[in-house]
Amino acid sequence: MGPAQTSSAIMATALNAALAGPRGANPLVGAVLVDHTEYDGAGSPQRVLATGYHQGAGTFHAERDCLTKAQAAGITDFSGTTLYTTLEPCTHYGRQPACTDLISQAGIPRVVVGATDPSPNGGGAELLRGRGAEVALGVLGEECTQLNHRWNRAAAQRRPFVTVHLAQSIDARIAAADGTSQWITSAVSRQHTHSIRQRVHAVLVGTNTAEIDDPRLTARDSNGSPTEHQPLRTVMGLREIHQTAQLKQGQAEGQGWLQLRTRDPLTALQTLAGTSHHGHPVKHVLVEGGQSVLSAFFTADLVDEIFLYTAPLILGAGRASLGDIGVTTLAEARQFALDTADGGPTTIMDNDVCIHLQPDPKGAR
């Protein structure tokens, strides 16, 4: 049992726990269970019993992770506890049961929520109140909302969450002057990309990349073998893809691959949002290139997360990572911030540096 803490400190603990999870189809969420036997509603100190977080799609939600850890520690009576969660507990059954039902079944009498859920899965606070629980809203509310500000935006636009992959030289080139690009970054960086492919629902490239690089767009392990989970392979653009393209794998369209016949990235994303892959909706897309497609996503402000891999190379006259994105003066620059979630903002990968970024919530347009 940890030292006594106040409500703000406990929610800060939940926020810190949430950052251990990956961004994507689901919001980052942290939860903390405390003993509130002496709680009087005026900020009396409380003691932390267990902490949990959501580790990604298909895993325990933060609340279930937290309560499972509490039970493993021998706690069976929750009548004297308060559950803190950075996001309103969900009300729906997906790959995991509804957290509101879990909380009610455990007999937790009080729940403190940082931010409400703006998605169709919201309403958990009111549901719990209707079942007799005391629910408090807004402890560190601004911080809890900012934690998932881009996930909230994706939900409002009815589109998948977008992660961008950028592998480039020091001088921001994705190919040499003759067009060669395999490989700019190290095998360690490429394997990290494959680990992201394993958790997204779709990988997207443009028609130019599909024709010139002829990528497979599959998720592979360190031995080069396909992993169990494979993302939907998607190409955005009007030009038809050659029949022998590796991403087709000899299969008809709709069987593991899809062409999005548009140059508008929001249209492409909303089309994917209505697409099912392995029985699940597409809620997380990894955009891997090339220059035209990446530029279109940045121009439309549809980039929610970036993994930027920089290799210790200088290519000079090679192809730039991005083209014109509508920025003509410094004041119009797209602003990003280091992202401390999912392993932290910077990682050394062999000789490469991987920088993890998200749009700066303070500089949002």
Side-chain angles (χ1 to χ4, degrees):
M1 185 175 292
Q5 298 185 46
T6 61
S7 293
S8 293
I10 293 166
M11 191 61 80
T13 298
L15 279 165
N16 187 61
L19 290 170
R23 297 191 186 276
N26 299 96
L28 295 180
V29 185
V32 177
L33 184 72
V34 301
D35 182 347
H36 81 137
T37 304
E38 300 179 358
Y39 185 84
D40 62 7
S44 296
Q46 302 158 79
R47 295 186 183 276
V48 172
L49 303 175
T51 301
Y53 70 97
H54 188 212
Q55 300 177 35
T59 66
F60 282 179
H61 289 185
E63 297 91 332
R64 182 172 291 273
D65 184 46
C66 181
L67 297 189
T68 299
K69 290 174 180 174
Q71 291 168 335
I75 299 171
T76 57
D77 182 3
F78 295 95
S79 61
T81 64
T82 296
L83 181 66
Y84 283 73
T85 180
T86 57
L87 185 68
E88 187 176 23
C90 68
T91 60
H92 77 296
Y93 274 75
R95 282 187 277 183
Q96 294 294 326
C99 291
T100 44
D101 289 352
L102 171 69
I103 292 166
S104 298
Q105 291 162 6
I108 297 171
R110 188 170 192 275
V111 180
V112 179
V113 175
T116 56
D117 187 345
S119 77
N121 301 325
E126 196 59 35
L127 178 62
L128 288 170
R129 281 198 186 106
R131 294 175 177 174
E134 181 185 351
V135 180
L137 295 172
V139 174
L140 297 188
E142 182 178 352
E143 293 87 343
C144 290
T145 299
Q146 284 192 358
L147 175 68
N148 293 301
H149 73 107
R150 291 300 297 202
W151 185 86
N152 293 338
R153 180 184 177 91
Q157 293 180 316
R158 300 182 180 277
R159 63 166 177 84
F161 186 91
V162 174
T163 297
V164 156
H165 161 280
L166 268 175
Q168 62 180 33
S169 63
I170 292 173
D171 52 345
R173 306 294 177 182
I174 59 174
D178 65 353
T180 54
S181 60
Q182 295 180 343
W183 298 101
I184 287 177
T185 53
S186 69
V188 177
S189 293
R190 298 197 298 276
Q191 190 53 48
H192 184 257
T193 299
H194 280 284
S195 71
I196 298 172
R197 284 184 182 181
Q198 290 179 52
R199 71 181 188 227
V200 302
H201 300 133
V203 178
L204 185 149
V205 297
T207 53
N208 195 50
T209 296
E211 287 293 322
I212 295 175
D213 291 348
D214 193 20
R216 284 177 281 177
L217 301 185
T218 54
R220 301 184 293 277
D221 62 23
S222 58
N223 296 319
S225 300
T227 57
E228 181 177 357
H229 171 75
Q230 289 296 321
L232 178 66
R233 304 178 298 277
T234 61
V235 182
M236 177 179 134
L238 303 179
R239 184 174 18 151
E240 293 299 320
I241 304 304
H242 197 276
Q243 287 299 321
T244 59
Q246 290 194 90
L247 66 87
K248 292 187 175 182
Q249 297 185 4
Q251 297 175 317
E253 186 170 0
Q255 298 180 8
W257 71 275
L258 181 68
Q259 183 165 356
L260 304 163
R261 291 168 175 80
T262 179
R263 292 194 178 102
D264 178 61
L266 182 58
T267 298
L269 290 176
Q270 291 175 337
T271 299
L272 282 174
T275 302
S276 177
H277 183 56
H278 296 318
H280 299 287
V282 174
K283 294 184 177 181
H284 188 188
V285 176
L286 175 64
V287 179
E288 293 198 14
Q291 184 197 74
S292 297
V293 165
L294 289 169
S295 299
F297 274 83
F298 278 102
T299 300
D301 192 18
L302 292 172
V303 176
D304 303 312
E305 175 186 49
I306 302 172
F307 284 99
L308 172 63
Y309 308 86
T310 301
L313 306 172
I314 293 178
L315 296 176
R319 186 171 178 80
S321 302
L322 298 176
D324 181 10
I325 60 170
V327 174
T328 58
T329 182
L330 187 60
E332 297 173 347
R334 303 291 192 270
Q335 297 183 45
F336 288 82
L338 294 174
D339 193 346
T340 55
D342 193 18
T346 58
T347 307
I348 303 299
M349 297 183 178
D350 198 357
N351 285 328
D352 303 339
V353 177
C354 177
I355 304 178
H356 187 202
L357 301 157
Q358 65 167 326
D360 189 344
K362 298 177 182 178
R365 294 190 301 163

